[in-house]
Amino acid sequence: MQTAIKEYRPKETARKEDFWKTLGLPSRGPKLHEALNEGVSYKVYTKLAETSGLESKELARYVVISPATLKRRADAGHFKPAEGDRLYRFAEVYKSAVDLFEGDRARARRWLLTPVRGLGGRRPVEMVATTAGSEAILDLIGRLEHGVFA
């Protein structure tokens, strides 16, 4: 009698678009460009802090927004384009980390907050505020997903 071998199926994770819909931000394309230029809503910031499990002040520090600026943006209801772009980069990196850990948000958050050898011993959250830093993180995540370590 032969034993049937079960096919490996990774945990079902939320569709990519669900993450972006939850934040209230388009994931790509002209609509994202338009949203960034018009000013990302302050609600996106609060949803991103909530979704990532970070304190509001922590997230502001990682995306380089001072407490005084954060208060002004809360009062205005939206961020300036450069600030919204940094929020988008953080969201993109966070979503990629969650995907890397198959939907496990706690593991993704720990990884983002821990020094990573592939990033020269820096914590990913320390690099997310710049395009070059975000690209380095996303590149590393891609290599880890495909088993490329060098």
Side-chain angles (χ1 to χ4, degrees), residues 3 17 19 26 31 43-44 59 86-87 96 107-108 128 133:
T3 306
E17 290 304 312
F19 173 78
K31 288 186 179 191
K43 290 178 184 178
V44 170
L59 178 56
R86 291 193 301 268
L87 288 169
S96 294
R107 285 182 64 200
V128 78

Side-chain angles (χ1 to χ4, degrees), residues 11 13 19 48 50-54 58 62 90-116 119 122-126 128 137-138 140-141 144-145:
K11 280 194 272 184
T13 57
F19 173 78
L48 186 55
E50 178 184 316
T51 302
S52 66
L54 295 173
E58 252 185 313
Y62 300 140
F90 181 90
E92 187 176 33
V93 166
Y94 175 74
K95 174 67 173 125
S96 294
V98 169
D99 290 347
L100 175 66
F101 291 102
E102 298 180 343
D104 189 332
R105 293 172 186 242
R107 285 182 64 200
R109 185 174 50 252
R110 276 195 307 274
W111 184 81
L112 289 168
L113 297 171
T114 303
V116 175
L119 297 173
R122 296 191 65 196
R123 299 180 321 149
V125 293
E126 295 171 348
V128 78
I137 298 164
L138 294 171
L140 175 61
I141 289 171
L144 292 170
E145 286 177 329

Side-chain angles (χ1 to χ4, degrees), residues 30-49:
K31 288 186 179 191
L32 172 63
H33 178 74
E34 186 179 311
L36 292 174
N37 279 331
E38 288 178 0
V40 170
S41 167
Y42 188 81
K43 290 178 184 178
V44 170
Y45 177 81
T46 58
K47 287 283 189 188
L48 186 55

Side-chain angles (χ1 to χ4, degrees), residues 14 31 39 43 59 75 82 85 95 97 130 135-136 145-146 148:
K31 288 186 179 191
K43 290 178 184 178
L59 178 56
D75 293 342
D85 189 48
K95 174 67 173 125
T130 65
E135 287 175 358
E145 286 177 329
H146 294 95
V148 179

